[in-house]
Amino acid sequence: MSQGKNSRLSEPIYRELTRMDVVNEANRCLFCYDAPCTRACPTHIDVPSFIRKIATGNLKGSARVIMEANPVSASCARVCPTEELCEGACVLKDEESPIRIGDLQRYVTDWARQNGVQLFRPGPATGYRVAVVGGGPAGLSAARELARMGHDVTIFEAKPELGGLNTYGIVPFRLPGEIALWEAEQVVKLGVNVHTGVTVGKDVPAQELLERFHAIVLAFGMGTVPRLGIPGEELEGVWDAIDFIERVKTGDGVGEIGKRVVVVGAGNTAIDAATCCKRMGAEQVTMFYRRTEAEMTAYPFEYEFAKQEGVEFRWLSVPRRILGENGRVSAVEFICMRLDVPDHSGRPRPVPVPGTQFTVEADTVIRAIGQSRLTRLLNELRIKCRNGVVQVDECFRTNRANIFAAGDCTFERGKGEAMVVEAAEQGKIVARSVHQYLKQVKNV
C-alpha cells in the first residue's frame, strides 16, 4: 500500500485537550520554588511560571515564557522524552502522576500558532552580519536570539523549507510539518534573511561567507544513512530511512512497500520508519538490531509506541545479504550475534555466531543505522573536527575565532543526547558566544 491510500499517516498520536482538561491539570501543579522540572529541561523553561499563567487564563504570557526559553517548543512538546526530563523530575511522579507538562506546553504553543500571536521583536540594529549555515532547530534557535540582539542574520538552508529534522525527518503523525514551519516563521518575522535550496560550499562559496559576514554559525545536520555494506543493497525496495521518511512526509511518494518490511537499526529514526510502514498498511514490520533491547538507542516511549502499533523486534541479528527477484527485494539473510567486551562506544561488541544464518522474507528493507557526517565545508573552512564531528569548547566556539558551531554537526556519541531540545539550547548558547565575540572584536 502506498502512503497516499492511508490517512493514518496524518492522524496525530496525541489526544486533543479541552480547555477544562488544561485548567484541571494546571491546577494540580504545586509551583515548586526550586522547580526540579525546570532544572531537568535542557532549555530551562520556567515550568511553574508557564503553568501558573495557564491557571490564571494568561495564555499569551504562558506562550512567551515557553518560547523565550525554547524557540522550537511546539515541536519539543511532541517529540521530547518528557518522562525522562521535566515530567520525570516532577515531585508528584511518585505520589500519583506527574503533571502533564508536555501536553500543557503543546496546548499553549498550539494556541499561539492558531491565534497568530507574535511574541518577540528584533533588537536595535548593531550593523553586524552573521551567517547561520543550516535552518534546523539549532540554526533557528541561534538565528532568533541573534536577531533579538540586533544583528543582521542570514540563514543558508540546503532544503526547500526551514526546520531541518523537524520539518523533514520526523513522521507526520508525531510532528506535523506545519508545526515546524510555524516555528521557522516566527524567526523569519524578526527580519532574518533566508536562502533556501542553497548549499554553502557548492552554491555559495565558503570564502564568500568569510568575506560578507562578521561571524558564521555552523548548524547543519548530518548526511545520509550509511550503507550496510552487504550484497543486494542496489535492489529496488531498499531505502535510506531518512530519505524514506522525508518522501512520505512531503508527499513525494515511496511507491508500494508490500506486506513485509524489514528495518535495520533500533534508534528513534528506525522506530519512525517502522511505525510509518505500519500506518501505510504493511502487515508485518520487524526491526532487527545487532545488540539487545538493553542497548537500543530509541527513547523508551518510542519503543512502547512501536510495540503498540504492532512492530515486531528481533535482537542480536545482523543482515549478511539482501536477496531479490526481478531486481526487487524478496528476502534478507541474517546471522545471529553474541555480545562480547565493550567497543569504542562503551556498549557490548556484537560478534557473529557461526552457523546461525536465517532468512526472512521481505518486500521492503529500510536501513536506519545512524547518519554519515558532512565534512566538505568543514575542510574548506579549516575547522578542526574528529571523525567528522566539529570540535567546540563549552561556548560552542571552533578553532577559528569568528566561526561557531552547534547542533548535530557537533554531536559526539557518549557526550550527551542528540535531542531537538538540546539543539535548541545549543543555539541559544552559541548566539550568546557570537554576541560576546562581536562585542569584543567589533566593538558592538
Side-chain angles (χ1 to χ4, degrees):
M1 179 179 289
S2 65
Q3 68 276 20
K5 301 177 183 177
N6 196 327
S7 62
R8 292 191 68 217
L9 283 172
S10 57
E11 181 183 308
I13 64 174
Y14 302 103
R15 183 175 68 85
E16 193 70 30
L17 298 174
T18 67
R19 177 65 180 156
M20 185 63 72
D21 290 334
V22 170
V23 171
N24 288 342
E25 191 65 17
N27 282 311
R28 290 181 58 227
C29 184
L30 302 178
F31 309 116
C32 305
Y33 75 93
D34 58 344
C37 49
T38 293
R39 287 188 279 114
C41 173
T43 57
H44 311 296
I45 292 174
D46 189 339
V47 176
S49 177
F50 98 70
I51 293 180
R52 188 185 297 276
K53 285 177 170 57
I54 293 174
T56 58
N58 182 6
L59 292 184
K60 183 174 182 179
S62 181
R64 184 182 296 277
V65 169
I66 293 168
M67 296 200 71
E68 174 81 35
N70 185 347
V72 291
S73 50
S75 292
C76 287
R78 291 164 168 81
V79 302
C80 260
T82 53
E83 76 283 356
E84 296 179 14
L85 300 174
C86 54
E87 292 175 17
C90 180
V91 297
L92 294 178
K93 182 181 68 171
D94 296 327
E95 295 184 15
E96 37 184 310
S97 61
I99 302 298
R100 292 160 57 189
I101 299 169
D103 283 346
L104 294 178
Q105 180 172 314
R106 177 166 53 90
Y107 180 87
V108 171
T109 51
D110 279 353
W111 176 87
R113 176 174 58 88
Q114 292 159 4
N115 286 276
V117 175
Q118 186 166 349
L119 299 170
F120 305 105
R121 303 282 179 185
T126 64
Y128 293 98
R129 299 180 300 277
V130 182
V132 176
V133 183
L140 289 173
S141 180
R144 191 196 75 169
E145 295 303 285
L146 287 163
R148 292 178 68 197
M149 294 168 182
H151 302 303
D152 183 358
V153 183
T154 301
I155 297 175
F156 295 88
E157 167 57 48
K159 294 287 188 184
E161 301 279 2
L162 297 175
L165 180 74
N166 291 358
T167 299
Y168 292 100
I170 300 176
V171 286
F173 47 87
R174 186 176 298 285
L175 178 56
E178 60 264 26
I179 303 297
L181 293 176
W182 173 75
E183 291 169 332
E185 183 185 6
Q186 304 316 296
V187 177
V188 175
K189 282 182 175 179
L190 294 176
V192 171
N193 307 299
V194 176
H195 297 293
T196 54
V198 173
T199 300
V200 175
K202 178 183 176 184
D203 302 311
V204 176
Q207 185 61 34
E208 183 177 326
L209 264 62
L210 291 170
E211 294 170 356
R212 285 178 52 196
F213 296 93
H214 298 100
I216 298 172
V217 175
L218 303 177
F220 54 84
M222 292 187 273
T224 58
V225 177
R227 294 177 66 85
L228 298 170
I230 60 176
E233 284 193 82
E234 74 289 346
L235 291 167
E236 183 183 354
V238 180
W239 286 93
D240 165 327
I242 299 294
D243 185 34
F244 183 88
I245 293 169
E246 178 178 330
R247 291 176 69 86
V248 169
K249 195 164 184 178
T250 58
D252 285 345
V254 295
E256 298 291 329
I257 63 170
K259 297 180 179 180
R260 301 157 300 189
V261 177
V262 164
V263 178
V264 181
N268 294 317
T269 299
I271 295 280
D272 270 4
T275 52
C276 195
C277 289
K278 285 298 293 184
R279 291 194 168 216
M280 288 169 64
E283 294 178 5
Q284 183 178 40
V285 179
T286 309
M287 289 178 59
F288 290 83
Y289 182 48
R290 59 181 178 165
R291 294 186 174 92
T292 71
E293 178 181 354
E295 290 84 32
M296 71 183 300
T297 57
Y299 299 144
F301 77 89
E302 294 264 24
Y303 178 39
E304 289 304 316
F305 172 69
K307 289 190 289 186
Q308 291 168 13
E309 290 284 293
V311 175
E312 300 174 19
F313 293 81
R314 292 285 298 268
W315 313 109
L316 294 170
S317 304
V318 165
R320 286 166 52 97
R321 59 177 176 150
I322 301 172
L323 309 175
E325 293 179 1
N326 301 318
R328 184 174 178 92
V329 171
S330 62
V332 184
E333 180 184 297
F334 289 87
I335 188 168
C336 295
M337 311 294 281
R338 64 176 177 82
L339 296 183
D340 205 338
V341 296
D343 60 14
H344 64 278
S345 71
R347 292 177 294 171
R349 182 169 61 93
V351 177
V353 178
T356 59
Q357 295 90 338
F358 63 96
T359 301
V360 175
E361 293 184 342
D363 302 302
T364 295
V365 175
I366 301 176
R367 61 180 190 272
I369 55 170
Q371 290 177 258
S372 60
R373 295 286 177 172
L374 303 174
T375 58
R376 177 177 167 181
L377 179 59
L378 301 178
N379 294 334
E380 285 188 38
L381 293 172
R382 302 192 306 280
I383 298 298
K384 183 180 179 182
C385 57
R386 181 169 60 223
N387 298 322
V389 179
V390 179
Q391 299 299 289
V392 292
D393 64 12
E394 68 280 0
C395 296
F396 293 92
R397 296 174 294 213
T398 72
N399 57 297
R400 298 194 64 175
N402 64 332
I403 301 180
F404 305 75
D408 279 350
C409 65
T410 68
F411 173 68
E412 195 165 6
R413 185 177 293 281
K415 296 184 178 180
E417 290 272 357
M419 297 187 288
V420 174
V421 68
E422 286 283 5
E425 179 64 12
Q426 290 175 13
K428 289 160 54 184
I429 295 171
V430 82
R432 291 194 293 267
S433 294
V434 171
H435 186 63
Q436 188 65 29
Y437 164 77
L438 292 173
K439 283 201 301 183
Q440 292 175 345
V441 179
K442 300 297 179 182
N443 226 2
V444 173

